[in-house]
Amino acid sequence: ELNVSNCQFTYNSTTSSLFGSSDGGAIYAKDSTLHISDSLFQLNRIDFEEPETLNKGSQQNEGSSLFVDGGYLLLEKSLIRDIPIAVAGKSAVADVINSTFSRYGAGTVNDISLKFSESSVLNINHLTLKHKLVIIDSVISMSNSIISDCAMSNPNIVLDSANAYNTAFCNNNSVFNTMLQSPNDNGGPTLTIAFSPLSDLIDAGDPTYCQAEDQRSEQRPVGACDIGAYEANDYADIQVSREILSTAP
């Protein structure tokens, strides 16, 4: 069992060759219990001994930040900024909560935030996913999360509640006007992604699955939480009225 809190994983790497894959640039966990909170994964990678390794297929070189092979993962209140497949797992159970996945630098359509396969069970709640969610032959529960894109093959979707999608291809859901900003220091141990006061995300979460705190450990209001890892509790509720007089005061 490994418990990690308030840590930074940067510039770690593993090497893959023609003779086999190598997963987990920063952390590789096999049949383990892993709890990570309030941490940063950034600029971790998987190197290649030979260029041909790049063409060996989708089963190789996954989890530039973290790869779980069986076991259990709890990942919460963290920022993951690695590519091309940031966090991945097979035959694993994972709860990923109140976390942000956003590539360091410009992104591409092939970037994947989360990929779970081979009879995994994945529960995501209050995530901000700037890149793709991939589910293959696995169980998925999704709530109160921003999901930019997804690719699913034979998924068992047991919950899909109050998620904001940037594309209708994700489980045939309607698209939200998220109005996301860039990653910034909004308080807390890691950068977070806030949104405009006019965003559709505000107070749109399902109260049944609202977490008590957001990624920064800021309190979420009871019964009216925002979608995503960030709770916009700094916006003032102001009503402005104007009265026009026909005569001079």
Side-chain angles (χ1 to χ4, degrees):
E1 182 175 342
L2 177 64
N3 294 291
V4 177
S5 181
N6 290 287
C7 289
Q8 292 189 10
F9 297 87
T10 57
Y11 294 101
N12 298 286
S13 66
T14 185
T15 301
S16 187
S17 72
L18 289 173
F19 301 101
S21 65
S22 183
D23 301 313
I27 296 177
Y28 177 91
K30 181 173 177 61
D31 298 328
S32 304
T33 298
L34 185 60
H35 179 199
I36 301 173
S37 64
D38 299 295
S39 295
L40 168 67
F41 290 81
Q42 182 171 282
L43 298 173
N44 302 291
R45 67 189 190 276
I46 297 174
D47 293 327
F48 303 95
E49 231 174 52
E50 299 289 344
E52 291 85 352
T53 310
L54 290 167
N55 301 317
K56 287 295 180 180
S58 61
Q59 294 301 311
Q60 295 203 356
N61 314 315
E62 298 179 358
S64 298
S65 298
L66 167 65
F67 186 86
V68 285
D69 184 357
Y72 173 70
L73 167 68
L74 172 57
L75 175 62
E76 59 179 345
K77 296 182 178 179
S78 296
L79 172 62
I80 295 88
R81 307 194 74 184
D82 289 325
I83 58 166
I85 303 176
V87 174
K90 64 179 182 181
S91 306
V93 176
D95 292 314
V96 187
I97 303 167
N98 271 329
S99 295
T100 297
F101 291 71
S102 175
R103 174 178 174 166
Y104 186 87
T108 73
V109 295
N110 295 319
D111 292 340
I112 295 173
S113 296
L114 283 167
K115 179 181 178 181
F116 278 78
S117 61
E118 298 186 30
S119 301
S120 291
V121 178
L122 175 63
N123 169 52
I124 65 173
N125 186 18
H126 282 296
L127 296 192
T128 298
L129 300 179
K130 291 296 296 294
H131 304 294
K132 191 173 292 184
L133 167 68
V134 176
I135 302 297
I136 302 173
D137 298 323
S138 296
V139 177
I140 175 73
S141 297
M142 306 173 285
S143 57
N144 295 342
S145 294
I146 302 167
I147 302 173
S148 293
D149 195 5
C150 69
M152 299 190 183
S153 175
N154 192 31
N156 180 2
I157 303 174
V158 298
L159 176 68
D160 183 0
S161 181
N163 297 297
Y165 297 91
N166 286 344
T167 171
F169 291 107
C170 293
N171 204 25
N172 295 316
N173 283 277
S174 57
V175 178
F176 272 61
N177 185 15
T178 57
M179 304 180 74
L180 296 178
Q181 300 175 3
S182 299
N184 207 345
D185 183 0
N186 300 302
T190 61
L191 302 182
T192 51
I193 297 179
F195 35 80
S196 164
L198 302 178
S199 172
D200 292 344
L201 303 172
I202 296 176
D203 293 343
D206 184 340
T208 304
Y209 305 103
C210 287
Q211 292 284 312
E213 298 177 339
D214 72 357
Q215 182 175 331
R216 305 165 297 163
S217 294
E218 293 288 333
Q219 293 293 314
R220 295 185 187 270
V222 177
C225 66
D226 299 339
I227 296 174
Y230 176 87
E231 182 71 29
N233 53 12
D234 295 326
Y235 297 138
D237 185 6
I238 300 174
Q239 182 175 359
V240 178
S241 61
R242 180 176 61 178
E243 182 179 0
I244 299 176
L245 302 176
S246 58
T247 58

